[in-house]
Every structure is written in C-alpha cells, then in structure tokens.
Amino acid sequence: MHAHTTTDVQPFSVNPDFDFEIRTAIGRTAAGAGDPGEILAATEQVRKNDHEGWFDAWNSLADRTAQTADTAASHGHTVSAADAYLRASAYYAVAVNALSSLDDTTRLQPTFAKQQTAWGGFLTHTTANVTAIQIPYEGDALPGYFFRASTYGTAPTLIAVNGSDGSLAGLWASCIQPALSRGYNVVAFDGPGQQSQLFNKNVPFRPDWEHVLTPVLDHILTLDGVDATKVAVYGISQGSYWVTRALAFEHRFAAGITDPGIVDVSTSWTSHLPHSLLTVLDSGDIAKFDKEMAFGMKFSPDTARTWAFRARPYGTNGYGETIQAVRAYTVADVASHITTPLLILSPENEQFWPGQAEQLANLTTSVSTVISFTAAEGADGHCQPMARALTAQRMFDWLDEQLAH
C-alpha cells in the first residue's frame, strides 16, 4: 500500500508516497505531460507529513499552468495551449489524488472538474486526431476517446486500460502518445471506478473485467480505420489485473501487455497486516477485525490516509468488507485460460506487487514473454516511473513484431 524509495538514489521527498508521485510526474515529461523544473520547484518545500501543503503545491502549479494555457489559447498559440493544458491536467490529477486521502472531500469534485477541463483544452488544441466516443455498457455508456493514427486507411489499434487512480493525461504519457507516434490508433476510456465514473457517477470498481473489455472491444470493432485482426490491449498498474482477467475470457485480442504483471491485487493490502489480524477476518469476525484495524490506524495516520484513498473506488464500508472485496481481484484461478500472446513487464524493486510478474508468467507459460527492467537502467519501481521512453521502446517493439506475424 505504501510506496518505497526504489534505489539508493537521493529521493526527491523524504515521504515515500510523495517521492513516488514526483518520480511518476517527472517520467511523464518524456511525453510532454509535465516539465521537470516546475515539478521540482513546486514540491521541494513540502514537508514529510504536510498533506495539505502537498495538495496546495500541485493545485497551485496546475492553476498557474492552466492560466498559461488559457492565455496562449486566447492569442491563437495552439501548440503552446495544447502543451500547457496537458501539463495542467496531469498536475490537477496529482492534486485530486492528494485530496482523496484528506478528511475534507468537498474539494474533490471541483478539482477533478478542473482536471477534466484542462484535458478538454488539450484535446481541442492538440494536433492529434481525436474523437470523443460513447461505449455502450450495461444500459449506459462509458466515455472514451478514439485517437486515430496519422496514416490513412486501417491501422493496428491499442486499447489502453488505466490504473486504479490514473488520469487520462497520465495515460497519454505512458501509452497514447508513444503508440500514436508509432502509427497505432489508440482507444482510452473510463471504466467502472475510474476517473469520471468514480467522481461524477460514483460507480465503483468491479473485478470481472471481461464484462467491461468485451463490450469495449465490440464497439471498437465498429469504428472506421480499425483492423479487426490487429487490436491489442494494454493495462498499466492495476489496469494490468483488469486486462489479464479479461483475457482469460475474451480471446479476440491479437496481443496483450501488462505493466507490470499482477496476479492478486489484494496482497498490496494484506502484506502489511499482522497474520493474527487476517486470521480474525478469515474466521468471519469482521466486527473484531474492523475494531482492531481502527485502533491500529490511530497510530499510523499515513496508513489511514492511504487506506481511505485506495478504498474509495471499491465502494465498500469498513476495513474487513474492503479486504474481502479486494480479494476477489485475482487471476490465480483463471490465468491458465489465456490464449492471447501476453507481454509481462517486470521491474526490479516493484513495491506494490513484488514477485507477481514472475507468478503471472508461470501461470501463462505457453503465451507469455517477460521483459525485465532494472535499477541499473534507472528503470526500477512500479511502472518504471523514470524510464517511460525505455518502457515504450521495449513494449512497442514487441507489439510491432507480434502484430506483424
């Protein structure tokens, strides 16, 4: 549940969660979704436990950047406007995550609205060919975007699945931009519990993502310019679980990528808990479990904050109910059904799901390929935050070759 500084490199913040956010934000600069100088300048004065100051730092930076974007747009500087709107949206997303762990949640909605407005500003001014789409889903629709490759006619298409708290600006940096630059169409959308579905509709996560990705794929196959034989799917962070789960049931994808490999989401919740406490939960005494957890959280406010932030999208009440819900997020029993060529990214010092990339590879030996990332390359830690260009090169080279077959 907590991020740890991945290597012996000097941290950007003594707070490991802040440090990981800063590394991730700097990593996004490779695709223009940030600028290293302004990120470091905005965050360097924030003290270890100053969570309000952490929100203020990112919200102020985002406000300033959005103002820059508005000014550029009003003067017809479309490239500058697109650049600044993208950075602003990425910065607001960090501010939203900061708010999610504070007691006062009244600012969540307006801050997320600013994040979405900035993203809309980016889409209006970008040179990328993008169309907003509505994906039919269980009597409603999931909002998405179809980014069209610059080539005419049909092209290979990548469906990008976000993580538990990832923004679209973050997904642009980690997947959309590098895919477009290589001639792929890309589809991005908010699934259950993600972004607009959580903040605007209060729709929670669900574990059975074959019921999400199959309707998404059905819709994508109706779009102009999609080569039905070359549709791949990519999942980042917890999105990797959702992709793997769906691939066990949905066999029409030409290839899948997990960044990183995840088998059991719940271990990032339970590995920090005393065995004796989990025994209480396993015996069915949720009330006692909740009472002991609440007592323990009084002595660990940071853990309590992280818990509140992580638990929100599950739509659960109480600690025991949350753990029970998260335990359904496993592919241990279904991964062997995957028939799709699967790339598993495996970073050294993975802090949330250590060892699970290898576990997933062992469950999918006939279809999977593992690519390792190391501290020596500056590419360790969850989702290789500081090595996204290297990540893109390796995963898209693999994907290019898969789809060329």
Side-chain angles (χ1 to χ4, degrees):
M1 294 262 306
H2 276 293
H4 301 289
T5 305
T6 51
T7 59
D8 297 328
V9 180
Q10 190 68 28
F12 294 109
S13 168
V14 289
N15 179 313
D17 291 330
F18 294 175
D19 184 66
F20 181 67
E21 284 273 29
I22 293 168
R23 286 171 185 277
T24 302
I26 291 173
R28 293 190 187 115
T29 65
D35 219 359
E38 63 189 12
I39 291 167
L40 293 174
T43 56
E44 67 183 354
Q45 300 301 324
V46 182
R47 293 195 181 90
K48 183 177 183 180
N49 296 314
D50 184 6
H51 295 273
E52 192 65 47
W54 179 247
F55 162 72
D56 286 337
W58 288 98
N59 191 54
S60 300
L61 173 59
D63 281 345
R64 287 200 306 276
T65 311
Q67 183 61 60
T68 298
D70 288 343
T71 303
S74 69
H75 288 84
H77 306 304
T78 52
V79 173
S80 297
D83 288 355
Y85 279 127
L86 178 63
R87 299 201 320 273
S89 190
Y91 298 156
Y92 279 128
V94 184
V96 167
N97 286 354
L99 283 176
S100 294
S101 59
L102 295 177
D103 294 332
D104 169 25
T105 56
T106 55
R107 292 171 295 179
L108 261 175
Q109 218 65 30
T111 308
F112 179 68
K114 289 195 291 186
Q115 176 192 320
Q116 281 195 301
T117 298
W119 173 250
F122 166 66
L123 295 181
T124 300
H125 295 88
T126 181
T127 55
N129 181 345
V130 56
T131 311
I133 57 174
Q134 292 288 321
I135 300 165
Y137 169 76
E138 302 202 337
D140 197 1
L142 300 173
Y145 301 93
F146 181 44
F147 292 88
R148 206 177 281 277
S150 53
T151 50
Y152 291 100
T154 60
T157 302
L158 184 62
I159 297 176
V161 176
N162 226 332
S164 58
D165 52 36
S167 67
L168 288 163
L171 199 60
W172 167 267
S174 60
C175 174
I176 300 169
Q177 186 273 334
L180 286 173
S181 68
R182 288 167 172 84
Y184 286 81
N185 298 322
V186 192
V187 174
F189 65 98
D190 289 343
Q194 296 176 322
Q195 298 291 292
S196 66
Q197 298 305 286
L198 176 66
F199 295 117
N200 298 344
K201 289 188 167 180
N202 219 21
V203 174
F205 289 157
R206 62 184 294 176
D208 50 350
W209 252 59
E210 63 276 15
H211 296 299
V212 179
L213 261 185
T214 289
V216 170
L217 180 57
D218 287 341
H219 185 67
I220 299 325
L221 292 175
T222 69
L223 300 178
D224 210 28
V226 173
D227 181 339
T229 67
K230 295 184 177 181
V231 181
V233 61
Y234 164 83
I236 187 166
S237 193
Q238 193 166 316
S240 296
Y241 159 76
W242 284 309
V243 164
T244 306
R245 164 77 197 204
L247 288 177
F249 301 90
E250 173 55 74
H251 304 296
R252 290 176 294 171
F253 285 104
I257 301 173
T258 62
D259 181 7
I262 299 173
V263 172
D264 181 352
V265 172
S266 73
T267 59
S268 67
W269 296 74
T270 58
S271 61
H272 304 276
L273 299 178
H275 184 68
S276 57
L277 199 53
L278 287 172
T279 308
V280 171
L281 181 62
D282 293 338
S283 74
D285 196 343
I286 293 185
K288 185 181 179 188
F289 179 83
D290 281 0
K291 189 178 171 188
E292 293 194 16
M293 283 289 290
F295 181 73
M297 290 292 187
K298 285 179 182 167
F299 299 98
S300 184
D302 265 9
T303 305
R305 285 174 195 284
T306 305
W307 184 285
F309 167 45
R310 296 274 173 220
R312 194 168 189 270
Y314 288 92
T316 47
N317 295 306
Y319 299 107
E321 191 184 313
T322 301
I323 293 291
Q324 287 182 326
V326 177
R327 278 178 164 173
Y329 292 66
T330 176
V331 294
D333 52 339
V334 295
S336 61
H337 301 163
I338 297 173
T339 57
T340 308
L342 183 66
L343 180 65
I344 301 168
L345 305 190
S346 178
E348 192 177 357
N349 301 316
E350 163 64 43
Q351 65 268 45
F352 299 110
W353 292 286
Q356 293 205 13
E358 290 68 31
Q359 289 173 30
L360 181 58
N362 290 335
L363 292 169
T364 55
T365 46
S366 63
V367 294
S368 60
T369 303
V370 178
I371 294 182
S372 298
F373 292 85
T374 66
E377 300 168 311
D380 63 329
H382 183 62
C383 297
Q384 313 77 243
M386 301 276 279
R388 293 309 306 182
L390 180 67
T391 300
Q393 175 255 309
R394 289 180 178 169
M395 72 183 196
F396 282 106
D397 288 0
W398 176 87
L399 187 58
D400 289 346
E401 288 165 22
Q402 282 300 317
L403 299 186
H405 290 168

